[in-house]
Amino acid sequence: MSALQAVKAFRVRELAPVLKADPKLSNARPKILNPFLPHKNPESGRWAPAKYSLRRQADLVKNARASGLLHLLPPGPKLALKELQSASTSAVAAAETETEQVDAATWWSAAVEWDGEYKEKEVKGADVGNRLYAGKKRMFKGHKWERTLEKRTWKRKMLMKDMDERIERFKSTYKRKTPSPVSPARAVSYSKLPF
């Protein structure tokens, strides 16, 4: 299904029941429950989940961006209010150049008032681009190899600094101290390794 068809199918699915129930609303802006947000049932007082899952919302937003119809979607967790407002202002500017009248073929793209308010959460550090460690005194624990990496690299660098000389010294010492096979065995007081 193409991006345009996906957005159109969403709008038709949400608008058709309301407009069929009251045909007079096709001229006005109908008020429709936002399907991207959970809502409270006024009779029972219980919360009903959003009609569209976050994954389906993300797919719809992606398709609307691709087809340039972002202004037709309601606000929700996957579509920020700022982004929606900028898309609707650009769509209004484009619509002014075209005809104002809504034909029968494009009734699904008519203006709608979405019922339900989406409140964006204020995330610390989102403005700077560091949401993970914002407000934290120290970094997370990490793996043991990550914590000891700096010390190990320093030690390795120190050992490798004069390794050529050490190897040379070891080879010369080892040859000199190699015991003769005919002489009696003696206790070894030197290391066979260079470190």
Side-chain angles (χ1 to χ4, degrees):
M1 185 180 333
S2 74
L4 175 66
Q5 288 174 332
V7 175
K8 183 178 178 180
F10 164 77
R11 292 284 291 200
V12 168
R13 198 178 310 118
E14 295 302 318
L15 292 176
V18 176
L19 296 180
K20 281 181 184 174
D22 193 2
K24 295 174 192 169
L25 289 175
S26 58
N27 298 335
R29 285 182 64 175
K31 193 168 188 178
I32 298 174
L33 199 62
N34 189 340
F36 287 0
L37 301 176
H39 61 279
K40 194 173 188 178
N41 188 328
E43 293 170 11
S44 65
R46 302 179 91 183
W47 282 92
K51 190 173 177 182
Y52 291 86
S53 68
L54 292 175
R55 182 185 61 82
R56 287 177 68 198
Q57 287 181 39
D59 287 342
L60 275 169
V61 169
K62 201 185 319 179
N63 288 330
R65 265 198 204 104
S67 60
L69 300 174
L70 202 57
H71 63 285
L72 297 178
L73 294 182
K78 296 294 178 183
L79 183 59
L81 291 168
K82 294 174 188 173
E83 191 178 2
L84 189 62
Q85 287 170 350
S86 65
S88 61
T89 53
S90 63
V92 167
E96 286 175 358
T97 58
E98 296 173 8
T99 58
E100 281 290 319
Q101 193 176 4
V102 177
D103 347 343
T106 59
W107 62 268
W108 56 272
S109 63
V112 174
E113 188 179 338
W114 298 104
D115 189 22
E117 185 184 346
Y118 174 66
K119 296 173 187 166
E120 288 188 57
K121 292 180 181 175
E122 188 66 37
V123 182
K124 286 184 182 178
D127 52 341
V128 230
N130 185 5
R131 297 162 57 140
L132 190 62
Y133 289 112
K136 305 277 192 301
K137 289 183 180 176
R138 66 178 94 160
M139 292 179 69
F140 297 132
K141 181 179 168 184
H143 294 278
K144 175 116 187 224
W145 67 267
E146 291 172 318
R147 296 194 306 264
T148 59
L149 180 66
E150 191 177 337
K151 192 174 180 181
R152 279 186 291 115
T153 52
W154 177 81
K155 187 178 179 183
R156 191 180 299 134
K157 200 180 286 182
M158 291 302 293
L159 288 172
M160 292 301 290
K161 195 174 5 179
D162 56 345
M163 188 54 82
D164 292 337
E165 297 168 15
R166 294 171 74 183
I167 290 171
E168 202 56 45
R169 189 176 51 222
F170 168 76
K171 285 181 177 176
S172 63
T173 312
Y174 189 72
K175 283 178 187 171
R176 194 173 55 232
K177 289 192 174 180
T178 307
S180 170
V182 279
S183 64
R186 60 187 174 130
V188 178
S189 62
Y190 62 90
S191 169
K192 292 187 176 184
L193 298 174
F195 45 88

